[in-house]
Amino acid sequence: MTLANPEQLSTLMDIYTTLGYDTAKLDEESKGREWIELGFQCEDPASDFRGTGRLGLLNLHYFAKSDTPKAVKLLNEANLTEQHYFFACGGINFTHKLLFMLAEEKVKIHTFENCNDKEDALHRFNLLYSKFFEDFHQYWMNSNLKTSI
């Protein structure tokens, strides 16, 4: 994925501002340290979407927009030093894991059998993704594991 794509850049910037970050802190190429605070691996988040591409971006966007107060709360908790995990990278990995689980039929495929169209399938996948994200977060925060993922 490249940030040169205006639609993807717009979606990424919407995630950034929705989660409470100020675009004025980014440089002219939309890079900055704040991406790391949001849970990306470096100041250029585009490289983190390898393996999930646009779907990883759409899932993360849906999660941030569907319940913003909850997403901000989880982001803040994910940044706690004792139980830190990379929020955005975690979310991207959840997309990858769910795709793998679907391919291996470890997730009930009937959830998607009666979809009306691509948008309906994406909506159902987003709901599954959000539940997966929330369940992981709760598990991690309650696990008393004091290391980073």
Side-chain angles (χ1 to χ4, degrees):
M1 185 171 98
T2 176
L3 292 181
N5 179 314
E7 179 186 343
Q8 292 172 346
L9 177 58
S10 176
T11 301
L12 191 58
M13 297 307 286
D14 194 32
I15 293 168
Y16 187 85
T17 56
T18 296
L19 295 176
Y21 290 86
D22 181 4
T23 57
K25 294 183 177 183
L26 298 175
D27 68 16
E28 64 278 349
E29 295 177 341
S30 299
K31 295 177 184 174
R33 180 105 184 112
E34 291 75 20
W35 289 114
I36 297 169
E37 293 173 18
L38 208 148
F40 288 94
Q41 294 181 67
C42 64
E43 294 181 10
D44 180 7
S47 63
D48 289 343
F49 290 97
R50 293 180 307 272
T52 64
R54 185 170 179 246
L55 183 59
L57 177 64
L58 293 175
N59 289 155
L60 197 55
H61 186 250
Y62 177 86
F63 187 71
K65 297 296 279 189
S66 67
D67 190 346
T68 301
K70 183 184 289 183
V72 169
K73 177 183 180 287
L74 270 58
L75 170 61
N76 290 334
E77 290 176 0
N79 282 331
L80 295 173
T81 55
E82 289 184 352
Q83 291 179 275
H84 179 263
Y85 71 90
F86 288 98
F87 181 85
C89 286
I92 294 165
N93 281 308
F94 301 153
T95 298
H96 186 268
K97 181 66 173 174
L98 285 170
L99 287 171
F100 176 79
M101 291 170 70
L102 280 169
E104 296 291 317
E105 297 184 12
K106 294 180 180 185
V107 171
K108 298 295 182 191
I109 201 81
H110 71 270
T111 302
F112 299 96
E113 286 178 348
N114 298 319
C115 291
N116 299 322
D117 51 30
K118 290 178 186 178
E119 288 77 22
D120 186 26
L122 177 60
H123 178 71
R124 292 179 192 203
F125 193 83
N126 280 331
L127 293 173
L128 180 63
Y129 169 89
S130 294
K131 179 66 175 146
F132 192 93
F133 202 128
E134 291 173 34
D135 286 354
F136 166 81
H137 181 84
Q138 184 176 5
Y139 165 78
W140 184 255
M141 297 313 287
N142 292 332
S143 71
N144 293 321
L145 298 172
K146 303 294 184 192
T147 61
S148 178
I149 294 177

